[in-house]
Amino acid sequence: MEYFLQQLINGLTLGSIYGLIAIGYTMVYGIIGMINFAHGDVFMVGGFIALIAFLALVAIGVSAIPLALFLVLLIAMGLTALYGWTVERFAYRPLRHSFRLAPLISAIGMSIVLQNYVQIVQGARVKPLPPLVEGGHTLIASEDFAVQLSNVQIIVVTTTLLLLAIFSWLVARTRLGRDMRACEQDLKMASLVGINIDRTISLTFVIGASLAAVAGIMYLLYYGVVDFHIGFVAGVKAFTAAVLGGIGSLPGAVLGGLLIGLIETFWSAYFSIEYKDVAAFSVLIIVLIFLPSGILGRPEVEKV
Amino acid sequence: MSAAPDAILAVERLSMRFGGLVAVDDLSFNAQRGHITALIGPNGAGKTTVFNCITGFYKPSAGMIRLSHRDGQTFLLERLIDFRIAQWAKVARTFQNIRLFPGMTALENLVVAQHNVLMAASGFSFVGLLGLKSYGTAERAAVDKARYWLDRTGLLGRGDDLAGGLAYGEQRRLEIARAMCTDPVLLCLDEPAAGLNARESAELNDLLRFIRRDHGVSILLIEHDMSVVMEISDHIVVLDYGVKIADGSPAAIRDDPKVIAAYLGVEDEEVEQAEAEVGR
C-alpha cells in the first residue's frame, strides 16, 4: 500500500511534466492541424535556458531560492517563447499554404537543428544542477517503507496545476482564447470576422513554448540534469500523451500526460524498468484501437 | 463607369479568371449607400465569385473594388488582406453553405466577432486580458451587444447552445447576427433565404429591412428566391456567364428581355420557377 502510494506520487509528478509539454502539441495541432515535432526540443532548450539562468543568478548573488525560482521561471518562459515564435515564423509560416507534409518535414528538420545547435553550443555531456530545493515530508511511515513527498514534487505539481488553471481560464473566458478556438474551427472564417490569424497562430506557439519551458524547469529540478537529447524522448512521450488524451483537446493533453506518467512509473515499479516505454506505447496502441480519437477527443464527423 | 457620389461600393472592370475559365468578365456596378442591392443570375453566373473578390477570398485578375465610408475614407478591397477587410473596411459576409464556429455557443460566436473592439480594449496585449479595467468593461459591452442581436434574430433562448446544434433556419439567422456584430458598413449576404420556408423568408425580409433602417448598413445580396429579391431590393444587378446583362430597379429588371432570356437559357423547371415568381 505504501509502496503504491509512493509510486502514485512519482507518477503524477512525471505526468505533470508530460502534460505541460503535451499542451503545446495539442494546441498547435488544433489550430493548424500540424504536429510540431520540434516541440520536444523547445522543451529541451527551455531546460537549458533555466540551467543557465540559475547559474547566472547564483553568480550575481541571488541566493534566496524562491526568488531565484521565480526569476528563472520568467526568464525561461520569455526566452523559450521567443524560440517558439522564431520556429513558427521561419520554419512553418512560409509553408502554410504548401502541401500538408511540407511543414511536418520542416518540423523534423527544426528538431534536428535545435538538438545540434545545443549540442554544439553547450557540449554533448550531461549538465548537472546542484539540488536547489531539498527536503520533503514523510506522509506515512511504516516499519519497512516510508512514503516521501519531496518539496520538488510539491513545486512541480502545484506549478503545473496553477498554470493549467490560469491557462484554461485564458482559453475559456478571454478574447485570446475565443480567437484561438475560432481559428481552430475555421481559420478562414476567423479572418473574416477580423481576427489576425497569423498573430493568433504565433501566440499559440508562444504559449505552447512557454509551457514547455516550465516543463523544462520542472524536469531540471526533478532530475537535476539536462542534456541536448532529453527533448526527443520527452517529446515523443508528450506527443503520445496528446494523442492518447485526444489530440486537439486541452484537458485531454493533461489527462494523457498524467496517464503516461502513471503507466510508466507503475510499470517500472512493479515489472521492469527496461520496458517502461514499451508499456506506455502499448497502452497507446490499445486505446487507439478502441477509441481512435483518443480519450477526450471529438470524433471526426463527416459533413454531409 | 465612374462612381456615383454616394456609392458605398464601386466595382470597376472586375475580372476573375481561373486558368482558361473566365468566371467574371469586366464587371462594373455600384451599390448605393443605404440601399439593398441584389446580385442575381442563373447558377454559375459568377455571383459568389464576385463576393469572394470583395471579401478577399480571391485576388481579382483585374479591376478595382472601391469601398467608401461616410467620412470619405476609401479602401481598395482588392489590395487588403482578408482580416483587414473586416477590420478596416468593415465589410462582413455570410455564406451560401453556412460557416459558423460550430463548436462554440451561439453567444460566443457573436462575441468573437467583436474581436477588434476587445482587442483594442485589452491594449493589444496579453497583459490586458489579465486585469485591465477597460477590457472588463468592453467584454461586458460585447456580451450585451451579442444578446441584442440574439434577441433581434429570435435566438435569445439559444444563446448557450452550440452553434452547430441549432436548426438550419436558426443557423442562417445567427450567421447574419454574427456578421452584424463586426459593425459592418456593408453586409454581403450569399443566398440568405436558401432553405428557408415562406414564413422564415418573410422574417428574413423584415430583419434585413430593420438592419438597413435602424443600423444604416448597406446590403449586397445574392439570392435566387425572387420573392425576397423583388420585395426588398432597391437595385438589381443581373449576371450571366460572368457578364453583367442588366442593372436597374426591380421593375425594370422584371421586364428586361435579356434577363428573361438568361433564365430561359437554363433548365426548364428553373425557368418556370423564375417566371412564376416574377409574375408572368
Side-chain angles (χ1 to χ4, degrees):
Chain A
M1 184 57 208
E2 284 82 6
Y3 187 62
F4 175 84
L5 199 62
Q6 181 68 64
Q7 297 313 323
L8 189 67
I9 292 169
N10 296 346
L12 288 177
T13 314
L14 184 62
S16 302
I17 296 176
Y18 288 152
L20 279 174
I21 310 175
I23 290 175
Y25 279 104
T26 222
M27 275 183 16
V28 166
Y29 182 84
I31 207 160
I32 51 174
M34 167 207 153
I35 306 295
N36 176 14
F37 278 114
H39 189 61
D41 300 289
V42 170
F43 151 78
M44 175 271 295
V45 168
F48 266 94
I49 293 173
L51 177 67
I52 295 165
F54 266 126
L55 298 178
L57 284 173
V58 169
I60 60 168
V62 180
S63 54
I65 296 297
L67 177 66
L69 265 179
F70 181 70
L71 288 177
V72 165
L73 200 69
L74 288 186
I75 294 167
M77 282 174 89
L79 291 179
T80 313
L82 200 61
Y83 273 89
W85 182 86
T86 312
V87 167
E88 192 274 336
R89 184 64 190 83
F90 294 102
Y92 307 150
R93 190 182 295 181
L95 298 171
R96 180 117 10 106
H97 302 291
S98 178
F99 66 111
R100 259 181 96 79
L101 279 178
L104 205 70
I105 296 164
S106 180
I108 294 171
M110 210 57 228
S111 158
I112 297 169
V113 167
L114 285 176
Q115 273 185 40
N116 283 296
Y117 154 71
V118 174
Q119 186 183 3
I120 291 167
V121 177
Q122 295 294 327
R125 268 182 301 174
V126 171
K127 307 281 176 210
L129 177 76
L132 292 175
V133 184
E134 287 175 314
H137 310 275
T138 306
L139 295 181
I140 306 167
S142 66
E143 300 138 25
D144 50 351
F145 197 84
V147 180
Q148 292 281 344
L149 177 62
S150 70
N151 287 336
V152 171
Q153 285 176 321
I154 295 174
I155 291 175
V156 171
V157 176
T158 48
T159 311
T160 307
L161 289 180
L162 194 70
L163 279 169
L164 279 179
I166 294 175
F167 188 69
S168 309
W169 171 79
L170 212 63
V171 170
R173 295 254 168 263
T174 66
R175 164 185 64 72
L176 178 67
R178 264 195 310 268
D179 293 354
M180 281 179 169
R181 282 181 292 145
C183 285
E184 188 185 319
Q185 289 175 32
D186 192 336
L187 215 50
K188 195 71 203 180
M189 192 63 236
S191 75
L192 286 183
V193 297
I195 296 171
N196 182 345
I197 54 178
D198 279 339
R199 190 190 149 109
T200 311
I201 292 171
S202 284
L203 266 174
T204 309
F205 275 83
V206 161
I207 292 175
S210 52
L211 290 180
V214 178
I217 300 168
M218 298 304 146
Y219 184 96
L220 181 65
L221 285 178
Y222 195 47
Y223 291 105
V225 288
V226 280
D227 66 69
F228 74 98
H229 208 249
I230 58 167
F232 179 71
V233 180
V236 170
K237 293 262 180 62
F239 171 56
T240 309
V243 174
L244 183 64
I247 194 141
S249 151
L250 285 181
V254 180
L255 181 71
L258 291 177
L259 277 177
I260 295 281
L262 287 171
I263 293 164
E264 214 182 288
T265 313
F266 279 114
W267 189 277
S268 322
Y270 287 101
F271 301 103
S272 74
I273 199 160
E274 289 85 2
Y275 286 102
K276 64 180 175 141
D277 295 349
V278 175
F281 293 123
S282 303
V283 170
L284 172 77
I285 293 169
I286 293 166
V287 169
L288 285 187
I289 288 173
F290 294 104
L291 289 170
S293 46
I295 299 171
L296 297 181
R298 285 183 296 267
E300 287 279 326
V301 182
E302 282 283 321
K303 290 219 177 76
V304 279
Chain B
M1 190 168 83
S2 68
D6 207 28
I8 184 160
L9 181 77
V11 174
E12 284 173 37
R13 312 207 61 172
L14 178 74
S15 291
M16 183 74 214
R17 287 182 286 273
F18 299 100
L21 175 82
V22 184
V24 176
D25 191 12
D26 206 15
L27 171 73
S28 302
F29 71 90
N30 287 337
Q32 296 299 314
R33 189 182 312 282
H35 279 195
I36 296 181
T37 307
L39 199 56
I40 66 168
N43 285 333
K47 306 178 296 286
T48 300
T49 306
V50 173
F51 261 40
N52 285 343
C53 290
I54 293 173
T55 50
F57 263 59
Y58 297 153
K59 198 155 171 43
S61 314
M64 205 159 84
I65 307 169
R66 191 170 53 233
L67 184 113
S68 37
H69 284 182
R70 247 195 200 99
D71 60 8
Q73 250 190 309
T74 59
F75 299 90
L76 292 174
L77 300 185
E78 78 279 4
R79 296 194 188 161
L80 291 181
I81 42 172
D82 45 17
F83 76 95
R84 296 290 188 210
I85 290 179
Q87 195 181 351
W88 291 349
K90 298 199 165 296
V91 176
R93 82 172 281 187
T94 67
F95 288 83
Q96 198 172 335
N97 41 351
I98 305 167
R99 274 177 96 164
L100 290 163
F101 301 116
M104 295 165 89
T105 65
L107 187 77
E108 279 182 322
N109 264 275
L110 302 189
V111 177
V112 82
Q114 300 174 56
H115 163 86
N116 290 315
V117 182
L118 294 174
M119 188 82 178
S122 61
F124 298 93
S125 74
F126 206 74
V127 191
L129 298 173
L130 301 173
L132 265 188
K133 207 171 165 196
S134 66
Y135 175 69
T137 319
E139 177 95 18
R140 275 191 296 281
V143 172
D144 286 345
K145 186 170 180 179
R147 282 197 203 290
Y148 168 80
W149 280 108
L150 283 176
D151 187 25
R152 280 291 157 193
T153 49
L155 294 169
L156 201 53
R158 310 298 307 264
D160 292 330
D161 295 341
L162 290 187
L166 299 180
Y168 188 80
E170 293 176 323
Q171 294 199 4
R172 283 239 172 263
R173 295 203 298 276
L174 183 61
E175 213 188 8
I176 295 174
R178 182 182 60 188
M180 286 308 298
C181 279
T182 62
D183 264 333
V185 296
L186 178 68
L187 179 62
C188 300
L189 304 170
D190 195 345
E191 298 203 28
L196 300 188
N197 61 32
R199 189 177 53 81
E200 288 173 322
S201 291
E203 285 171 5
L204 176 74
N205 287 352
D206 291 342
L207 177 64
L208 297 186
R209 285 205 192 92
F210 165 78
I211 286 172
R212 178 183 52 168
R213 191 185 62 235
D214 286 40
H215 289 270
V217 174
S218 313
I219 296 174
L220 182 65
L221 171 84
I222 293 178
E223 192 47 75
H224 279 301
D225 186 338
M226 289 301 155
S227 69
V228 174
V229 172
M230 290 298 168
E231 202 189 320
I232 66 170
S233 309
D234 300 299
H235 188 88
I236 298 179
V237 177
V238 190
L239 288 187
D240 192 23
Y241 294 109
V243 180
K244 183 169 85 173
I245 59 170
D247 186 342
S249 68
I253 294 297
R254 199 189 299 255
D255 296 327
D256 192 316
K258 274 195 284 186
V259 177
I260 299 173
Y263 275 94
L264 281 171
V266 296
E267 295 144 52
D268 287 348
E269 53 176 19
E270 216 169 309
V271 176
E272 280 163 28
Q273 202 190 337
E275 283 184 333
E277 279 161 353
V278 296
R280 288 203 157 241

